[in-house]
């Protein structure tokens, strides 16, 4: 049986939020004393953007159907992977060139916010 798009978006939202908490806890506890101040700051920025965009993903997932809503869900999910993922990797010692990926994640976040705005504009009040 095929799941509907809102259920998949809801699952994606749950995974994004849970992983933000897990990565935050991992950074606060397991990486304490392992990373220098600059790398801890990178980790913190990654977690912060990850969590805020998991919340944005939750909002988009709750909007029902529509092309703009689908774009928002996908863009936020891709942004979390590219932006936060590249910062996590850099914090853990990935090569400097890994940072080339980060702006693409930021661009994806921007697309997500624009799409979310369009989806909200088209969603009738309840």
């Amino acid at each position: 049986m095929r799941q509907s798009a809102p259920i998949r978006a809801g699952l994606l939202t749950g995974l994004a939020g849970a992983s933000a908490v897990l990565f935050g806890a991992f950074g606060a506890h397991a990486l304490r004393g392992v990373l220098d101040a600059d790398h801890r700051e990178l980790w913190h920025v990654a977690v912060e953007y990850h969590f805020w965009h998991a919340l944005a993903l939750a909002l988009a997932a709750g909007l029902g159907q529509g092309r703009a809503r689908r774009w928002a869900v996908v863009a936020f999910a891709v942004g979390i992977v590219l932006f936060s993922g590249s910062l996590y990797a850099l914090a853990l010692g990935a090569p400097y060139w890994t940072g080339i990926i980060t702006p693409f994640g930021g661009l994806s976040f921007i697309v997500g916010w624009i799409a979310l705005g369009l989806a909200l504009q088209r969603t009738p009040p309840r």
Side-chain angles (χ1 to χ4, degrees):
M1 180 162 92
R2 187 174 169 190
Q3 289 184 335
S4 67
I7 293 172
R8 287 190 305 256
L11 178 61
L12 186 59
T13 297
L15 291 173
S19 61
V21 173
L22 287 169
F23 279 101
F26 182 74
H29 301 289
L31 296 178
R32 182 184 305 170
V34 174
L35 300 179
D36 63 26
D38 289 339
H39 288 93
R40 278 194 315 272
E41 179 62 23
L42 271 178
W43 191 273
H44 177 74
V45 169
V47 170
E48 191 170 336
Y49 273 79
H50 186 158
F51 190 69
W52 280 111
H53 288 90
L55 291 174
L57 182 57
L59 177 59
L63 290 177
Q65 299 296 319
R67 184 178 303 170
R69 175 226 167 251
R70 284 190 304 274
W71 270 93
V73 167
V74 169
F76 287 138
V78 168
I80 289 169
V81 170
L82 295 180
F83 185 88
S84 293
S86 64
L87 292 183
Y88 291 135
L90 286 168
L92 293 175
Y96 178 76
W97 57 262
T98 304
I100 293 170
I101 298 167
T102 311
F104 293 103
L107 181 60
S108 187
F109 285 152
I110 293 166
V111 169
W113 283 107
I114 291 168
L116 179 60
L118 291 171
L120 287 168
Q121 183 67 28
R122 294 179 181 152
T123 303
R126 293 181 183 180

